[in-house]
Amino acid sequence: MNSIEMIRHGPLTLRVTDRFTVLLCESGTSVILVNGMRLTLHSREALLLAQGQSVMVEKIEESSQMRLLEFDPDELFHPELVKRYVTPYLTSEKSIHMLKQERVNQSIIQTIERAVQHLSADGPLALMDATLQCTVIWRYWIQQEGEVMKNESKRQSLRLMLAYIESHLEDKPTLARIATAGNVSRSECCRLFTTFGNTSPLAYVQVKRMDRAATLLMDSIESVADIANRLSYSSVSHFVQTFKAHHSITPLAYRKQYQRKRAE
């Protein structure tokens, strides 16, 4: 069954959650320890906790009050729905989710407040109304889990593309080949580089090629022409112009500067 507890004028003793738990700061400010991590909740902010988390309200202002809402997700749904929408999400890497004072969180905060209000009421339909709100809270939780999985998939694609670029700098990677390495479309490839690096795939390749060129100038005795050829530049002059635009110095001057510093 759903339960609600008022926390006011004093800390909540250490406990390990045995049900899905929501901590709602109704007013003031509270400091909460979750799995040893110190978090601060202000008025109309909330914390969602999966089962099995250690939690303790370490400090609560005298004028503050919090609500602790607990429920078992598998009691909210028909068994067939539990198999699809509860069981797969009970064991995951995501254990906490904080809802701060942001416009995007207003709707779910209001849902939590309604659940608390219904559980605190004595009306004949109060428990049913609270249960309906709890299903919405759980729906929000599994949606966030989906976002986590989606973002991890994006980061994995990015890792694959970065690794491909690193190992193919001398082959002049194209956008199509980079995208293929990450198992994404060319447009998605561009979006990922923009989102995570504020750059484009080919601009990133250019930077990495210039870094490789600098390393070759320092660590080898290859000529500028040989390095330009190795990095698949169409001409030595193009390579020199690109290098100077990136490093603010010509390749030969860069090598001499490095040799001089090394000799000092």
Side-chain angles (χ1 to χ4, degrees):
M1 296 293 291
N2 306 330
S3 68
I4 182 71
E5 177 180 341
M6 171 72 80
I7 306 169
R8 181 190 294 162
H9 307 331
L12 172 72
T13 56
L14 180 65
R15 68 171 70 183
V16 176
T17 59
D18 58 3
R19 294 190 287 172
F20 186 80
T21 301
V22 181
L23 277 167
L24 171 66
C25 183
E26 292 187 317
S27 62
T29 300
S30 300
V31 179
I32 304 168
L33 285 178
V34 180
N35 302 330
M37 179 172 56
R38 187 170 283 102
L39 303 172
T40 301
L41 286 183
H42 300 286
S43 178
R44 300 199 72 234
E45 294 183 343
L47 192 62
L48 309 183
L49 302 174
Q51 179 181 334
Q53 313 309 307
S54 67
V55 58
M56 181 179 77
V57 177
E58 184 180 56
K59 181 180 179 182
I60 183 169
E61 294 178 346
E62 185 175 346
S63 60
S64 301
Q65 62 182 34
M66 294 187 63
R67 299 277 188 166
L68 185 144
L69 167 66
E70 297 178 301
F71 61 85
D72 292 309
D74 54 1
E75 294 182 359
L76 301 175
F77 303 96
H78 184 279
E80 289 301 316
L81 293 178
V82 168
K83 291 180 184 179
R84 183 168 182 177
Y85 297 115
V86 177
T87 304
Y89 299 95
L90 289 177
T91 55
S92 70
E93 295 183 359
K94 184 165 74 76
S95 57
I96 66 174
H97 183 74
M98 182 176 281
L99 296 165
K100 302 296 286 182
Q101 291 180 353
E102 300 171 353
R103 178 177 295 181
V104 68
N105 294 328
Q106 287 181 0
S107 177
I108 188 63
I109 289 289
Q110 290 170 356
T111 298
I112 294 170
E113 290 172 334
R114 284 193 292 269
V116 167
Q117 290 166 3
H118 291 311
L119 279 174
S120 303
D122 296 324
L125 300 178
L127 181 58
M128 184 176 72
D129 291 336
T131 299
L132 290 173
Q133 301 306 317
C134 287
T135 62
V136 176
I137 295 170
W138 181 253
R139 182 178 185 274
Y140 174 84
W141 174 265
I142 67 176
Q143 281 181 314
Q144 300 312 301
E145 176 72 10
E147 287 299 313
V148 170
M149 294 173 64
K150 186 191 301 181
N151 287 335
E152 177 54 34
S153 175
K154 290 179 179 180
R155 287 191 290 270
Q156 177 60 15
S157 293
L158 183 64
R159 282 192 286 267
L160 291 171
M161 290 187 288
L162 294 178
Y164 174 83
I165 290 170
E166 190 66 33
S167 62
H168 291 80
L169 284 177
E170 297 179 6
D171 301 333
K172 195 176 181 180
T174 64
L175 176 59
R177 290 176 180 174
I178 295 169
T180 298
N183 298 311
V184 295
S185 66
R186 284 180 289 183
S187 59
E188 178 64 10
C189 172
C190 292
R191 276 193 293 270
L192 290 176
F193 273 85
T194 299
T195 300
F196 292 103
N198 194 30
T199 187
S200 70
L202 295 184
Y204 177 81
V205 169
Q206 188 77 287
V207 169
K208 296 300 292 183
R209 291 172 82 200
M210 288 297 97
D211 289 346
R212 177 68 62 82
T215 300
L216 291 171
L217 287 165
M218 291 186 293
D219 297 342
S220 75
I221 58 172
E222 290 184 76
S223 67
V224 171
D226 287 340
I227 293 174
N229 184 62
R230 176 193 279 220
L231 293 174
S232 302
Y233 278 87
S234 57
S235 67
V236 175
S237 60
H238 182 210
F239 169 73
V240 171
Q241 290 172 0
T242 305
F243 190 94
K244 187 175 181 180
H246 183 78
H247 292 286
S248 302
I249 193 173
T250 66
L252 279 179
Y254 185 92
R255 172 175 276 172
K256 289 177 181 178
Q257 184 182 76
Y258 170 76
Q259 292 173 339
R260 184 168 58 253
K261 290 181 179 179
R262 189 176 180 183
E264 292 176 352

